[in-house]
Amino acid sequence: MSFVAITSAALLLTACGSGSGGPGGTDASGVAAKADEVPTTDVVSAVRKDDAAARLLPAGTTSLTVAVSVGGTPPGTTYLADGTTLTGQDVDFTRAVARVLGIKLKIEQASFEAILPALDSGKYDFGASNFGVTDERRKTIDFVTYVNDGQGFATREDSKLPKITDLKQLCGLNVATGAGTTFEATLEAGKHVCADAGKKAYRVQTYAESSAIWSSLQQGRSDVVMSTINGLRYAVAHQRGLKFLNEYHRLDVGFAFKKGTKLAPAFQAAVNRLLSDGTYDRILKKWGTTGSAIEESRVNPPELKG
């Protein structure tokens, strides 16, 4: 399939936002998804309860409600061929942690931008949608890290854009990204660099519907897309007509909780158990994201800089 054939694309915005889709829909990178291409290796069912980690849960905790945003295809949250069973890297980590802690999960789907605000109200106990850890988010959200991903750029294969190492390189261009994401925040915060350099500002084009992001690039209304490193690499690997420019800013990714949660110590212990027993590596290998491995889980680490 050529790039111009993409008419319905979803973008899983790590640390940022996500689209929606079902089997045969589109993935985090805008690549048409096929249900039979979704990895189905079982890397979770062998995980056993760890009593030491489970004792860190608040007394009486037997089940938790988690909110996830469906992105379409790997490595983001997607559906198996049955059209109802959710899978993906975040889902595998969530289910594995639940098994370590010996708790049941109620998984609810929600739009990406709705999850974090809903945590404080208690609608969900936590969110698992590749949320990037930023200093701004840590003011109102607690995080327990489990992978490292971040921000990157991609464009059309025929573009002459080089690696984007400085936002001044975007001056005068149209940059497509998701509304309410860390990408949007980064771009808006950096807009002044163009005026400071006496150049025309870049235009940030934000979209609530992720299919519109890639349509904008496809139709020439945007010059470049800012999205997740893993999602963009997946696009380049599976789709002709795309070019991954570079990683721009790495971010830790974590389970998200309301501020002051008492669940964080148990989740941290559970992730570290997965790291030590080999489950962690098996999950990353399944989804082709071994470059996102961390050495240990942390609670509310400062945002990665540089």
Side-chain angles (χ1 to χ4, degrees):
M1 182 186 297
S2 66
F3 181 67
V4 294
I6 301 175
T7 57
S8 176
L11 180 64
L12 178 65
L13 302 175
T14 293
C16 12
S18 91
S20 61
T26 54
D27 78 338
S29 56
V31 178
K34 295 181 180 179
D36 58 3
E37 292 179 351
V38 179
T40 57
T41 304
D42 181 3
V43 292
V44 174
S45 64
V47 176
R48 296 292 177 259
K49 181 180 179 180
D50 182 284
D51 290 333
R55 283 195 292 271
L56 296 174
L57 286 168
T61 303
T62 59
S63 65
L64 294 172
T65 299
V66 56
V68 301
S69 181
V70 179
T73 60
T77 302
T78 186
Y79 296 93
L80 290 179
D82 61 11
T84 58
T85 303
L86 290 174
T87 188
Q89 178 174 274
D90 296 318
V91 172
D92 274 349
F93 273 117
T94 302
R95 288 175 171 155
V97 164
R99 292 185 69 88
V100 170
L101 298 177
I103 58 175
K104 294 182 179 179
L105 282 178
K106 180 181 180 182
I107 300 177
E108 294 194 4
Q109 296 183 45
S111 62
F112 180 88
E113 63 274 14
I115 295 176
L116 296 185
L119 295 176
D120 190 57
S121 70
K123 184 176 182 178
Y124 312 116
D125 294 303
F126 68 104
S129 286
N130 220 5
F131 289 106
V133 181
T134 67
D135 290 339
E136 183 64 27
R137 282 179 172 170
R138 289 192 304 124
K139 295 176 182 178
T140 56
I141 298 292
D142 281 341
F143 292 96
V144 175
T145 62
Y146 59 97
V147 291
N148 175 276
D149 193 352
Q151 304 174 336
F153 291 96
T155 187
R156 294 182 298 274
E157 195 172 51
D158 60 1
S159 172
K160 297 186 183 302
L161 279 174
K163 291 182 178 180
I164 306 298
T165 58
D166 189 313
L167 294 182
K168 286 197 294 288
Q169 294 172 261
L170 299 175
C171 294
L173 301 180
N174 294 323
V175 187
T177 195
T181 67
T182 61
F183 308 129
E184 180 186 8
T186 295
L187 291 167
E188 291 294 347
K191 263 187 172 181
H192 66 89
V193 300
C194 296
D196 294 346
K199 298 182 178 182
K200 181 180 178 181
Y202 54 76
R203 181 187 177 201
V204 183
Q205 298 171 313
T206 58
Y207 299 93
E209 292 295 329
S210 52
S211 60
I213 295 174
W214 287 98
S215 293
S216 178
L217 184 66
Q218 169 193 335
Q219 296 167 10
R221 289 179 284 108
S222 298
D223 302 296
V224 62
V225 168
M226 190 179 191
S227 181
T228 69
I229 294 168
N230 283 339
L232 295 176
R233 287 192 184 282
Y234 184 87
V236 173
H238 292 79
Q239 177 67 51
R240 291 193 302 273
L242 288 177
K243 177 169 65 175
F244 179 75
L245 292 178
N246 61 287
E247 297 182 6
Y248 179 73
H249 178 32
R250 278 276 174 178
L251 286 172
D252 286 318
V253 171
F255 297 111
F257 306 83
K258 68 178 181 180
K259 201 67 181 174
T261 182
K262 295 182 179 180
L263 294 171
F267 272 68
Q268 181 187 27
V271 174
N272 285 332
R273 171 59 186 270
L274 298 176
L275 277 159
S276 66
D277 70 11
T279 302
Y280 186 91
D281 287 340
R282 287 190 286 273
I283 292 175
L284 293 189
K285 287 177 181 177
K286 173 181 177 179
W287 298 107
T289 55
T290 54
S292 288
I294 59 174
E295 294 184 357
E296 65 176 352
S297 176
R298 296 192 293 168
V299 177
N300 291 330
E303 179 179 346
L304 296 176
K305 304 298 182 181

